[in-house]
Amino acid sequence: MSKPVDSAVSAVRAYVQHHREAFLDDLAEWLRIPSVSAQPDHAGDVRRSADWLAARLKETGFPVAEIWDTPGAPAVFAEWPSDDAAAPTVLVYGHHDVQPAAREDGWDTDPFEPVIRGNRLHARGAADDKGQVFFHTLGVRAHLAATGRTAPAVHLKLLIEGEEESGSPHFRALVEEHAARLAADAVIVSDTGMWSETTPTVCTGMRGLTDCEIQLNGPDQDIHSGSFGGAVPNPATAAARLVAALHDEHARVAIPGFYDGIQELTPRERELFAELPFDEEQWLRTAKSHATHGEAGHTTLERIWARPTAEVNGIGGGYQGPGGKTIIPSSAMLKLSFRLVAGQDPGHIEKAVRTWVAQQLPAGIRHEITFGGATRPCLTPLDHPALQSLVRAMGRAFEQKILFTREGGSGPAADLQDVLAAPVLFLGISVPSDGWHAPNEKVELDLLLKGVETSAYLWADLAENWRHAG
Amino acid sequence: MSKPVDSAVSAVRAYVQHHREAFLDDLAEWLRIPSVSAQPDHAGDVRRSADWLAARLKETGFPVAEIWDTPGAPAVFAEWPSDDAAAPTVLVYGHHDVQPAAREDGWDTDPFEPVIRGNRLHARGAADDKGQVFFHTLGVRAHLAATGRTAPAVHLKLLIEGEEESGSPHFRALVEEHAARLAADAVIVSDTGMWSETTPTVCTGMRGLTDCEIQLNGPDQDIHSGSFGGAVPNPATAAARLVAALHDEHARVAIPGFYDGIQELTPRERELFAELPFDEEQWLRTAKSHATHGEAGHTTLERIWARPTAEVNGIGGGYQGPGGKTIIPSSAMLKLSFRLVAGQDPGHIEKAVRTWVAQQLPAGIRHEITFGGATRPCLTPLDHPALQSLVRAMGRAFEQKILFTREGGSGPAADLQDVLAAPVLFLGISVPSDGWHAPNEKVELDLLLKGVETSAYLWADLAENWRHAG
């Protein structure tokens, strides 16, 4: 690294060291607020958490820090314009609500009384997501201190929602309502993780999702399998045959048009996945599964990150109680969900599924399909200048090569991507052992401070290397 | 018909006419006893029904009429030896318990207060099965009167069980315990029906049955379909693929060995089925179904009577509540039942199913199969002399050609066939409109008296045309 970079690193690190204790004290104060969005009796705490954060962001220096109400829990919006009008605008996304937690779930200490043991801070929300939101506050101060600026090098916006742990029911509407104020050149999502403590990574995408329920009706009531068995169509059989026909012998989804427009993995992307120290035995233990199974020609990581899926989440029909019942059931039901990857459109998938289902069913089986919500896939192009800045910033903080991952799941980040028409990047420092949603959730203090550092380097690098298009 | 037959018919009919009113009064008295075996508070009534029947059989002339206790409801056994030691022995099977019934289920009158409207006797049990048991009492008296005998022309035994409507849980053990006293050359089951009021028929077989539950386990708990979807086997998919693989593209059961030893329909049997006035549209209404579907190369009647089946009676796995849940379920469950026809052995089928299931499942899916009870198929050979006697006896009573049917269902008759190593014949005069298990159950008085007549002719014909082998 060249000399100027080194001095920037030293300056950032000195600042972070100096403010470490105050930063952790502040975070602990926030973690003491049990902002559990799923529990109505904590509604006041979720609001208190939003108020606390808005006040703290003002103290940090954000000239604008507002509470944005929704029909559910409030979000916090903050804005700190750059003094360089031509700088790009970056929107940081996170959430201030947390999963439920109680001592009796298996916590060693009160989940809402943060405690540092060794080099770990334990509390509900330590990693998911208060810790990862909060490192941006010290990050931007370190950025200013190290660069001698009075305003960030980029136009900085924050949107910290209060209902993520409840499925973000009002998030899309909130983003649409405030689209003008949220407008950004890039979105930085700080609500994900890295490969491991020793392998820092950047996530470059999440899968999309669409799901449906299929109701299949055969006889008008359950009928006797002795009197009628073998001579009329059985809706449970029809349901099963639909599921069986979902995949071909290569475990590829067999719905015509399902792969239309899909962005195939490039050789470079496959190489990058293969660089990760993946241990399939260990992964299987995490998956609590007893074998891998999936699309031929792809590794497990490719299957969960970069390939679309069709999964049965639920199936039911006929008699499910103890013993037997000799009936042909009147009806059966399927719940299917489809994970989507870049290039796939949920609307197109819905149409393809509807057409396919109608063609599969035998005469005498009537059906009804209801689609639930749809979330688009996100994918940050590897050559996007903002991603390159992010990788450089992390590389400085971690002093290691940064590898690339993706997320198999789907999240509200896609709403930001869609409404704001901006690429989404993921800056997360959490690791799998942090125990999201589990007892004794923790954040690694060393990684938390690397997050602070990354945030500090990122804004300067972005401003220097990625000029606003407009 | 020859002159002597005509005079026998006249004598039987005169006797039946003379005793018609007393017979119906007696039957009504029995029908007033609510012998509902499925309802514990009617246990005393079931016993009262057994006592009533045993006493009535003694009055009829049976020298032996006993109550046979079981761990559940009591059965009635009666015996009237022939004075011709070389005559064959015939065991009549029926049941004296009835289905539950309450006025508010939709009955026009009290289900346990028999009423004659037009030419129909309405009461719970009128057709299923008290009426059909009871016609044998007047039948044997008419037989004696018309032939001038003091004992029947055959050794006559009756076994009238008290738990048929509760699934005959103790019947097999009862038959095994009393096998020596029940020993017979043929079993006459009077607990079935005919094609219709205008098409008298003899049933020549019932299908067998074996059923199982298959538990499939994948991940040790429900896992996230985003994090793991597409890369591990889904037990609900495995369950569905098993069901889909049950049948080939001709709707034949695809389990290797399933059709081993099967007794195929002869051209003559297919012709006999085809003689029946079958109306598929009407049958579909009865089946409350919207299309026929079944094994290629067979008619609907062949499919339900003479072909084996594999049906899903229940399927379940994953999330079945409202909305969606993005999981790969930990487990799934299937309930399968197999109807079997002559030549198939339930034990062989169980082995074939177990082998097949184990071969079908992908790595990572563990399974457990539990088989329930097994009932063998029954089939009366068309050329059996006892069947020919039965057809002649019915032909005299109905003065019509007697056609042949089968039953798609399975029943305790198979236990008699197995334990006693005797062929089973079906003498039933009920018709589909009688409303078994339904409100306003009835029996057609004309058909009931044809049952009496058939019973009267049958014993003489059997003794004359079928000598005991020993």
Side-chain angles (χ1 to χ4, degrees):
Chain A
M1 295 183 186
S2 63
K3 194 81 185 131
V5 170
D6 281 344
S7 81
V9 168
S10 311
V12 164
R13 288 194 179 155
Y15 189 88
V16 171
Q17 269 313 311
H18 190 70
H19 293 83
R20 185 181 185 278
E21 290 312 311
F23 167 73
L24 293 179
D25 287 348
D26 279 357
L27 174 57
E29 193 176 303
W30 193 20
L31 290 169
R32 279 188 199 101
I33 304 175
S35 50
V36 180
S37 60
Q39 296 176 336
D41 55 334
H42 282 292
D45 292 319
V46 180
R47 179 160 298 274
R48 202 147 58 84
S49 161
D51 289 342
W52 185 95
L53 178 62
R56 193 70 198 70
L57 291 170
K58 285 223 162 161
E59 285 169 36
T60 299
F62 282 83
V64 173
E66 301 172 0
I67 304 295
W68 281 0
D69 279 318
T70 76
V76 175
F77 172 76
E79 188 171 8
W80 196 342
S82 175
D83 46 14
D84 172 3
T89 302
V90 174
L91 172 67
V92 171
Y93 165 85
H95 60 91
H96 67 90
D97 62 322
V98 298
Q99 279 279 313
R103 182 76 188 261
E104 56 268 28
D105 296 342
W107 286 76
D108 295 332
T109 51
D110 184 335
F112 296 105
E113 189 46 64
V115 57
I116 292 178
R117 285 200 295 274
N119 215 9
R120 296 167 164 187
L121 169 62
H122 290 270
R124 173 56 85 226
D128 177 21
D129 184 35
K130 285 174 175 169
Q132 302 203 88
V133 167
F134 207 60
F135 72 57
H136 284 288
T137 62
L138 184 56
V140 68
R141 296 287 342 164
H143 160 59
L144 299 181
T147 57
R149 309 182 67 103
T150 54
V154 297
H155 301 294
L156 197 56
K157 297 178 180 180
L158 263 68
L159 178 62
I160 311 302
E161 74 158 314
E163 296 188 307
E164 200 275 344
E165 300 296 1
S166 300
S168 303
H170 308 102
F171 186 67
R172 174 103 189 184
L174 184 78
V175 173
E176 284 173 348
E177 183 189 345
H178 297 286
R181 295 192 65 193
L182 292 169
D185 298 296
V187 175
I188 305 281
V189 169
S190 282
D191 185 27
T192 54
M194 306 194 308
W195 182 264
S196 74
E197 288 83 340
T198 51
T199 306
T201 52
V202 166
C203 170
T204 62
M206 296 183 84
R207 292 195 287 193
L209 176 67
T210 187
D211 65 347
C212 66
E213 180 168 332
I214 307 178
Q215 179 71 27
L216 299 168
N217 296 301
D220 295 335
Q221 62 184 51
D222 290 351
I223 58 173
H224 194 285
S225 74
S227 306
F228 304 107
V232 296
N234 178 331
T237 303
R241 294 184 81 97
L242 264 186
V243 172
L246 269 178
H247 299 92
D248 69 14
E249 70 275 27
H250 307 296
R252 276 176 67 87
V253 179
I255 299 169
F258 185 76
Y259 292 94
D260 283 0
I262 202 173
Q263 207 167 311
E264 297 288 344
L265 280 167
T266 62
R268 172 79 187 123
E269 284 169 320
R270 301 185 75 167
E271 269 172 44
L272 288 172
F273 285 2
E275 280 182 31
L276 290 161
F278 178 66
D279 176 339
E280 194 150 87
E281 284 305 309
Q282 193 192 313
W283 182 84
L284 274 175
R285 283 193 293 276
T286 312
K288 297 183 190 302
S289 293
H290 302 270
T292 58
H293 175 87
E295 192 184 348
H298 288 282
T299 65
T300 291
L301 286 183
E302 290 170 9
R303 288 168 177 170
I304 56 172
W305 288 346
R307 298 304 298 170
T309 68
E311 289 284 359
V312 199
N313 310 120
I315 186 168
Y319 180 66
Q320 299 181 48
K325 194 172 179 191
T326 47
I327 53 165
I328 295 175
S330 169
S331 65
M333 176 276 298
L334 284 179
K335 289 181 193 279
L336 304 180
S337 65
F338 304 90
R339 297 282 166 178
L340 309 178
V341 301
Q344 285 183 304
D345 171 64
H348 176 79
I349 297 298
E350 174 174 341
K351 236 181 271 177
V353 170
R354 286 183 182 279
T355 303
W356 176 79
V357 168
Q359 286 167 346
Q360 293 289 310
L361 296 173
I365 300 290
R366 292 147 299 149
H367 76 286
E368 208 174 302
I369 308 190
T370 314
F371 269 78
T375 304
R376 285 179 188 279
C378 304
L379 183 65
T380 324
L382 286 177
D383 57 1
H384 195 285
L387 181 65
Q388 292 173 347
S389 288
L390 176 56
V391 169
R392 276 192 300 268
M394 279 192 81
R396 275 186 193 170
F398 285 86
E399 296 177 351
Q400 260 185 280
K401 180 172 179 189
I402 305 301
L403 301 181
F404 293 90
T405 65
R406 292 197 196 174
E407 279 275 335
S410 314
D415 290 321
L416 294 167
Q417 166 195 262
D418 289 0
V419 178
L420 308 180
V424 170
L425 294 88
F426 300 88
L427 163 52
I429 51 76
S430 182
V431 287
S433 63
D434 282 352
W436 289 28
H437 301 198
N440 299 318
E441 177 180 349
K442 55 90 179 164
V443 69
E444 300 284 333
L445 292 181
D446 287 348
L447 300 183
L448 188 66
L449 299 178
K450 299 282 186 205
V452 173
E453 273 191 59
T454 303
S455 166
Y457 305 137
L458 179 56
W459 312 138
D461 193 301
L462 272 175
E464 191 173 330
N465 294 294
W466 187 42
R467 304 307 295 170
H468 187 277
Chain B
M1 294 182 187
S2 63
K3 195 79 184 132
V5 170
D6 282 344
S7 80
V9 168
S10 310
V12 164
R13 288 193 180 156
Y15 189 89
V16 171
Q17 267 316 308
H18 189 72
H19 293 85
R20 185 181 186 277
E21 289 313 309
F23 168 74
L24 293 179
D25 286 350
D26 279 358
L27 175 57
E29 196 175 300
W30 193 20
L31 290 169
R32 279 188 199 100
I33 304 174
S35 50
V36 180
S37 60
Q39 295 175 338
D41 55 335
H42 282 291
D45 294 319
V46 180
R47 180 160 296 274
R48 202 148 59 84
S49 162
D51 290 340
W52 185 95
L53 177 62
R56 192 69 199 72
L57 291 171
K58 284 222 162 164
E59 284 169 38
T60 299
F62 282 81
V64 173
E66 301 172 0
I67 303 294
W68 281 0
D69 279 318
T70 76
V76 175
F77 173 74
E79 187 171 8
W80 195 340
S82 175
D83 45 14
D84 173 3
T89 302
V90 175
L91 172 67
V92 171
Y93 166 85
H95 61 91
H96 67 91
D97 64 320
V98 298
Q99 277 279 312
R103 184 75 189 261
E104 56 269 27
D105 296 341
W107 286 76
D108 295 333
T109 52
D110 184 334
F112 297 106
E113 190 45 65
V115 57
I116 292 178
R117 285 200 296 273
N119 213 10
R120 296 166 162 189
L121 170 60
H122 289 271
R124 172 57 84 224
D128 176 22
D129 183 37
K130 285 173 175 168
Q132 302 204 88
V133 167
F134 207 60
F135 72 58
H136 285 288
T137 63
L138 185 55
V140 67
R141 297 289 340 167
H143 160 59
L144 299 180
T147 56
R149 310 181 68 102
T150 54
V154 297
H155 300 296
L156 197 57
K157 297 178 180 179
L158 261 71
L159 178 61
I160 311 303
E161 74 158 313
E163 297 189 307
E164 199 276 342
E165 300 296 1
S166 301
S168 303
H170 308 102
F171 187 67
R172 174 103 188 185
L174 185 77
V175 173
E176 285 173 347
E177 182 188 345
H178 298 285
R181 295 191 65 192
L182 293 168
D185 298 297
V187 176
I188 306 281
V189 169
S190 283
D191 185 27
T192 53
M194 307 193 307
W195 182 264
S196 74
E197 288 83 339
T198 52
T199 306
T201 52
V202 166
C203 170
T204 63
M206 297 182 83
R207 292 195 286 193
L209 176 67
T210 188
D211 65 348
C212 66
E213 180 168 332
I214 307 176
Q215 179 72 27
L216 300 169
N217 295 302
D220 296 335
Q221 62 184 51
D222 291 351
I223 57 173
H224 194 286
S225 74
S227 306
F228 304 106
V232 295
N234 180 329
T237 302
R241 294 183 82 97
L242 263 186
V243 172
L246 270 178
H247 299 93
D248 69 14
E249 70 276 25
H250 307 296
R252 275 175 69 87
V253 178
I255 298 168
F258 185 78
Y259 292 95
D260 283 359
I262 202 172
Q263 206 167 312
E264 296 288 344
L265 280 167
T266 63
R268 172 82 187 120
E269 285 170 319
R270 302 185 75 166
E271 268 173 44
L272 288 172
F273 284 3
E275 280 182 31
L276 290 161
F278 178 67
D279 177 339
E280 195 151 88
E281 284 304 308
Q282 192 192 314
W283 181 85
L284 273 176
R285 282 193 294 276
T286 312
K288 298 185 189 304
S289 291
H290 301 270
T292 59
H293 175 87
E295 192 185 346
H298 289 282
T299 66
T300 291
L301 286 183
E302 292 169 8
R303 287 168 178 170
I304 56 172
W305 288 348
R307 299 302 298 170
T309 68
E311 289 285 357
V312 198
N313 309 121
I315 187 169
Y319 181 67
Q320 299 181 48
K325 193 171 178 190
T326 47
I327 53 165
I328 295 175
S330 168
S331 66
M333 177 274 299
L334 284 178
K335 288 180 193 280
L336 304 180
S337 64
F338 303 90
R339 298 282 168 178
L340 308 177
V341 302
Q344 284 182 304
D345 171 63
H348 177 79
I349 297 299
E350 175 174 339
K351 237 180 272 177
V353 170
R354 286 184 183 278
T355 303
W356 176 79
V357 168
Q359 287 168 346
Q360 293 289 308
L361 296 173
I365 300 291
R366 291 146 302 150
H367 76 287
E368 207 175 304
I369 309 190
T370 314
F371 269 79
T375 304
R376 285 178 187 280
C378 303
L379 183 65
T380 324
L382 285 178
D383 58 2
H384 194 285
L387 182 64
Q388 291 171 348
S389 287
L390 176 56
V391 170
R392 275 193 300 270
M394 281 192 81
R396 274 186 196 170
F398 285 86
E399 296 175 352
Q400 261 185 280
K401 181 174 179 185
I402 306 301
L403 301 182
F404 293 90
T405 65
R406 292 197 197 173
E407 279 274 337
S410 314
D415 290 321
L416 294 167
Q417 166 196 264
D418 288 0
V419 178
L420 308 180
V424 170
L425 294 89
F426 299 87
L427 164 52
I429 51 78
S430 182
V431 287
S433 64
D434 282 353
W436 291 27
H437 302 196
N440 299 317
E441 176 180 350
K442 54 88 179 168
V443 67
E444 299 282 334
L445 292 182
D446 288 348
L447 300 183
L448 189 65
L449 298 178
K450 298 283 188 205
V452 174
E453 272 191 61
T454 303
S455 167
Y457 305 137
L458 179 57
W459 312 136
D461 194 301
L462 271 176
E464 193 173 332
N465 294 294
W466 187 42
R467 303 308 293 173
H468 186 277

